[in-house]
Amino acid sequence: MPLSHRMPELSAFEVLVAVASGGSLTAASHQLGLTQQAVSARIRSMEAQTGVQMVIRTSRGSTLTPAGRVVAEWADGLLDTAHRLDSGLASLRSDARAHLRVISSLTIAEQLLPRWLMSHRAESLRHNTTPPEVTLVAANSEQAVSAVQDGEADLGFIESPGTPTGVRSRVVAHDDLVVVCARTHPWAKRSRPLTASELGRASLVVRETGSGTRDFLADALHAALGQSHVQAAPAMEMTTASGVRSAVLAQAGPAVLSRLSVADDLALGRLVAVATDGIDLHRELRAIWMGGRTPPAGAVRDLISHVAASRP
């Protein structure tokens, strides 16, 4: 049952209790650090709102009415409960800043989050604040969304396309996917870009179902070739990006991976990047959380803000 519009705010009850304990408006003003005029105004406002006279004002001073004394007694218990609630909320806020459970899709967990967490830690120490203790779990994007929805993680990072349903999200970074193959694969010596149609007909080494990278590629091919496009059966499925990379090196077939995860292989010539045409492989990376549009106060909001601010 909702409270009536005649229920005063806690601050009004604080003034009344101060008058009861001090014995006068003057004593209450000293106790609360307010002027006597402010204390008197709050009592009058409370009386007008409740329809109950709380104070008798005479030339010799002000005293509580019998009703005022009863209300002050009730308010004393209410304020005691409110103080316990306030302390409990402060403890929860402190815990929210001290501990952070993060679940992240693999590419972000392996390639980006270590740098984000270390730079966030350094920034916290520069501002003389204690960085949170972070527990990080790597999973695929589908699992990350489920963990955040179920309350198993405070914060998630995903690579899957579009805006996920059932959670709040914010773009915090961007990434490019790249087609890679072994040096001995026929695509390694192509002189012209690979078309979206050719990519869609190829048997690729792919991540498992639920992977953000796999889902993004499927969406990109549908955008380029139409929703009726059916991608060729995979040459092999792996549960990690490093597994896909190893399979490509072993000549199991080409793959589409984050450029971040194969940067060293490309630089050293172990893998070859294949140029593409007619397909957009640029994607958004998102932070996800439960609750309102604004990330929850504490470690979640602090880390998201740090990551977004450090984005190139």
Side-chain angles (χ1 to χ4, degrees):
M1 179 178 176
L3 296 172
S4 76
H5 68 281
R6 289 186 175 276
M7 180 65 175
E9 295 182 355
L10 288 175
S11 58
F13 286 123
E14 284 183 312
V15 171
L16 184 66
V17 170
V19 172
S21 63
S24 68
L25 299 185
T26 301
S29 68
H30 291 317
Q31 180 179 331
L32 298 173
L34 299 172
T35 64
Q36 185 173 337
Q37 291 78 8
V39 169
S40 181
R42 292 193 186 185
I43 292 293
R44 285 197 299 270
S45 177
M46 186 181 188
E47 290 174 328
Q49 182 178 0
T50 61
V52 176
Q53 185 179 3
M54 307 285 181
V55 173
I56 298 174
R57 299 166 180 83
T58 69
S59 58
R60 294 188 301 275
S62 301
T63 58
L64 292 183
T65 65
R69 287 193 293 272
V70 171
V71 174
E73 185 176 343
W74 292 340
D76 194 49
L78 175 63
L79 291 173
D80 184 57
T81 300
H83 285 306
R84 290 200 302 271
L85 177 59
D86 191 28
S87 296
L89 289 172
S91 177
L92 292 176
R93 285 194 299 271
S94 177
D95 187 63
R97 290 191 179 277
H99 304 281
L100 182 62
R101 299 170 300 166
V102 179
I103 186 165
S104 171
S105 56
L106 282 174
T107 298
I108 299 175
E110 293 175 347
Q111 305 299 327
L112 294 172
L113 261 172
R115 173 164 54 84
W116 288 346
L117 292 174
M118 290 308 297
S119 63
H120 180 236
R121 178 181 178 82
E123 181 183 61
S124 298
L125 294 175
R126 282 197 302 272
H127 290 88
N128 295 318
T129 59
T130 303
E133 295 179 5
V134 178
T135 301
L136 173 61
V137 175
N140 64 37
S141 292
E142 185 177 90
Q143 292 165 338
V145 172
S146 294
V148 170
Q149 288 177 325
D150 294 342
E152 297 171 3
D154 306 306
L155 173 64
F157 292 94
I158 60 172
E159 308 156 19
S160 48
T163 303
T165 58
V167 293
R168 296 288 188 176
S169 71
R170 176 181 298 176
V171 175
V172 294
H174 293 85
D175 181 31
D176 288 308
L177 299 184
V178 59
V179 179
V180 293
C181 65
R183 296 175 63 183
T184 56
H185 193 276
W187 285 359
K189 302 186 183 303
R190 288 179 66 98
S191 58
R192 56 185 177 80
L194 189 71
T195 66
S197 180
E198 290 174 304
L199 182 60
R201 294 195 302 269
S203 291
L204 305 173
V205 181
V206 298
R207 286 279 308 282
E208 80 285 1
T209 300
S211 156
T213 297
R214 181 169 177 170
D215 289 346
F216 183 88
L217 176 61
D219 272 26
L221 286 170
H222 284 144
L225 303 174
Q227 292 299 316
S228 61
H229 167 73
V230 178
Q231 194 172 351
M236 188 179 293
E237 288 189 10
M238 309 295 289
T239 58
T240 65
S242 58
V244 173
R245 169 184 160 278
S246 296
V248 175
L249 286 168
Q251 303 180 37
V256 178
L257 288 167
S258 165
R259 188 176 292 275
L260 294 169
S261 64
V262 293
D264 290 344
D265 295 299
L266 296 178
L268 296 173
R270 291 190 292 253
L271 293 176
V272 176
V274 183
T276 58
D277 183 40
I279 184 169
D280 184 5
L281 295 179
H282 181 71
R283 66 179 176 177
E284 298 175 331
L285 307 180
R286 290 179 174 270
I288 59 172
W289 66 90
M290 293 298 292
R293 289 186 178 182
T294 302
V300 171
R301 186 184 301 174
D302 292 345
L303 180 57
I304 291 176
S305 298
H306 174 78
V307 171
S310 62
R311 182 172 59 183

